[in-house]
Amino acid sequence: MKGKPLIPFFLIAVVGLLLTLGLSIVGVNQQADDESGDTEEQDPVEYGEEVVMESCVSCHGDNLEGASGPAIVDAGDDHSAEEIADIAQNGIGDMPSGQANAEEAQAIAEYLMSLSEE
């Protein structure tokens, strides 16, 4: 180690960088697989229900019968699926835009339309 003390440190650094890069690539690929597989296999109405329960009940109430926001349990009676998806993405009145992406908005619309069919 007297003659060339930097070689072992250099080798350790290179191995560490390669390992970090390799694991990063594996993680990105797994994340892409997880994101693409979740909603494709799941029923859109079930996915819509999950999104509504995560994002909408805080304003529209646990039973979607209204709280700080209006009741949406019967939104399918008053609006088309396209209108509901548009409202979920772009907001309306006091509801801000950006509450859902396009896929989530479509699932929300399908779920709320299914409630009107019952």
Side-chain angles (χ1 to χ4, degrees):
M1 187 131 165
K2 270 185 165 180
K4 298 183 182 183
L6 294 179
I7 291 176
F9 296 110
F10 177 74
L11 290 175
I12 291 171
V14 168
V15 169
L17 288 172
L18 291 174
L19 185 61
T20 302
L21 178 65
L23 291 175
S24 297
I25 291 170
V26 169
V28 167
N29 287 337
Q30 286 179 345
Q31 181 180 7
D33 290 344
D34 289 347
E35 289 175 357
S36 66
D38 281 350
T39 57
E40 288 178 9
E41 297 173 11
Q42 190 173 18
D43 178 39
V45 174
E46 289 177 10
Y47 178 56
E49 182 178 14
E50 288 178 16
V51 174
V52 166
M53 292 303 147
E54 290 174 6
S55 304
C56 304
V57 296
S58 60
C59 295
H60 296 285
D62 289 336
N63 296 325
L64 307 178
E65 295 174 350
S68 63
I72 59 171
V73 71
D74 58 355
D77 295 338
D78 302 327
H79 301 285
S80 69
E82 293 79 22
E83 291 172 326
I84 294 171
D86 182 61
I87 292 169
Q89 273 191 284
N90 301 314
I92 190 170
D94 290 335
M95 181 178 165
S97 64
Q99 298 298 307
N101 64 37
E103 182 180 0
E104 292 168 338
Q106 187 61 42
I108 290 169
E110 290 188 38
Y111 171 64
L112 293 177
M113 294 301 289
S114 75
L115 294 178
S116 296
E117 295 170 1
E118 293 177 356

